[in-house]
Amino acid sequence: MPVTQTAPIELHYWPTPNGWKISILLEELGVPYEVKYVNIGKGEQFRPEFLAIAPNNRMPAIVDPEGPGGAPISVFESGAILQYLGRKFGAFYPADERKRVEVDEWLMWQMGGFGPMLGQNHHFRIYAPEKIPYAMDRYLNETHRLYGVLNKRLGGRAYVAADEYTIADMAIIGWAQGWKNQGMDLEEFPHVKAWKARLEERPAVQRGLAVGREERERQASLADDKDAQKVLFGQRAR
Ligand SMILES: N[C@@H](CCC(=O)N[C@@H](CS)C(=O)NCC(=O)O)C(=O)O
């Protein structure tokens, strides 16, 4: 029986590759949700009410007022959120064990590699006050390697896992938006390019990527915003 959602899911969010994963899934599911912006450049991720649901001071996070047993539940870490919503609504996360293992493999590949490594690449290329060739090369090469892995995987396949469109694709697509700033040339990765275009044709993907665009455009770009850089870079245990 399809699960219905009556009360909106709270999405604690800022428009970035990790945030887009969840806005895309919620748009695909067509369930009610309410965006609560967490402006990470202004330090809103350190507010006590946000830390109570996301102790790692990173968005995205959700609060589902209709969680297991009908009681509210909060979830942080984008991969865990994708899995929770996929299980709850029985969509984009196949129940068949072989398929689910494939989805988990590619979801973890994104969470552990095609996310953290691309993030470091972007940091050292764009934000680092000094250009450190060793760090820049290391993360550029790793990004290139990861795009190569994805390209091979997508050869002869429409989607990354389980022969269908899943949360694994949704986890990866946001990170592939930034290929230029990551120093990549998509012509080198034709299967990635075709897959990206295929996903971007989906209205829900377009809507998911647009959530909060105006909020973000109102802000100075992080590369020029020294105050935001102070908030985001060089964090230590508090
Ligand atoms: N592993 C986390 C990473 C989330 C993450 O890095 N979020 C960034 C924006 S993309 C953030 O909230 N940064 C705030 C900060 O650095 O304080 C996830 O996938 O949810």
Side-chain angles (χ1 to χ4, degrees), residues 102-103 105-106 109 147-163 172 191-192:
E102 266 190 30
V103 173
E105 285 174 329
W106 287 94
W109 175 85
Y147 270 91
V149 170
L150 183 60
N151 194 55
K152 246 189 220 150
R153 174 66 183 178
L154 287 167
R157 277 172 218 274
Y159 301 109
V160 79
D163 293 324
I172 299 167
H191 303 306
V192 175

Side-chain angles (χ1 to χ4, degrees), residues 16 18 21 40 45 57-60 77-78 111 232 235:
T16 74
N18 289 316
K21 297 171 189 176
I40 57 174
Q45 67 275 36
N57 69 265
R58 300 277 190 275
M59 68 86 224
E77 280 294 326
S78 58
M111 292 295 293
L232 287 167
Q235 293 177 10

Side-chain angles (χ1 to χ4, degrees), residues 40-89:
I40 57 174
K42 297 231 182 299
E44 292 175 3
Q45 67 275 36
F46 295 104
R47 288 184 175 165
E49 57 279 22
F50 180 69
L51 290 174
I53 59 169
N56 194 37
N57 69 265
R58 300 277 190 275
M59 68 86 224
I62 61 164
V63 178
D64 178 3
E66 297 166 3
I73 187 171
S74 62
V75 190
F76 73 99
E77 280 294 326
S78 58
I81 301 170
L82 292 173
Q83 289 173 320
Y84 168 73
L85 293 173
R87 280 193 306 267
K88 174 170 179 174
F89 294 102

Side-chain angles (χ1 to χ4, degrees), residues 36 116 118 132 173 196 208 211 235:
K36 306 265 186 195
L118 276 53
I132 306 165
I173 185 67
K196 181 172 172 291
V211 174
Q235 293 177 10

Side-chain angles (χ1 to χ4, degrees), residues 61-192:
I62 61 164
V63 178
D64 178 3
E66 297 166 3
I73 187 171
S74 62
V75 190
F76 73 99
E77 280 294 326
S78 58
I81 301 170
L82 292 173
Q83 289 173 320
Y84 168 73
L85 293 173
R87 280 193 306 267
K88 174 170 179 174
F89 294 102
F92 306 110
Y93 193 27
D96 171 82
E97 184 59 9
R98 284 182 191 278
K99 288 187 168 209
R100 186 159 285 193
V101 166
E102 266 190 30
V103 173
D104 287 345
E105 285 174 329
W106 287 94
L107 179 59
M108 298 307 149
W109 175 85
Q110 186 288 312
M111 292 295 293
F114 200 85
M117 296 299 133
L118 276 53
Q120 294 301 324
N121 172 4
H122 195 248
H123 182 88
F124 285 107
R125 284 172 61 78
I126 314 282
Y127 303 133
E130 2 149 20
K131 300 293 166 220
I132 306 165
Y134 182 86
M136 287 170 70
D137 285 353
R138 173 169 164 74
Y139 291 112
L140 184 76
N141 289 342
E142 182 59 1
T143 301
H144 193 266
R145 187 190 72 81
L146 288 162
Y147 270 91
V149 170
L150 183 60
N151 194 55
K152 246 189 220 150
R153 174 66 183 178
L154 287 167
R157 277 172 218 274
Y159 301 109
V160 79
D163 293 324
E164 56 188 276
Y165 174 51
T166 69
I167 55 173
D169 298 286
M170 296 179 209
I172 299 167
I173 185 67
W175 280 97
Q177 298 300 299
W179 59 273
K180 263 192 211 147
N181 275 341
Q182 295 153 8
M184 296 296 112
D185 177 1
L186 276 197
E187 298 308 319
E188 268 191 73
F189 307 108
H191 303 306
V192 175

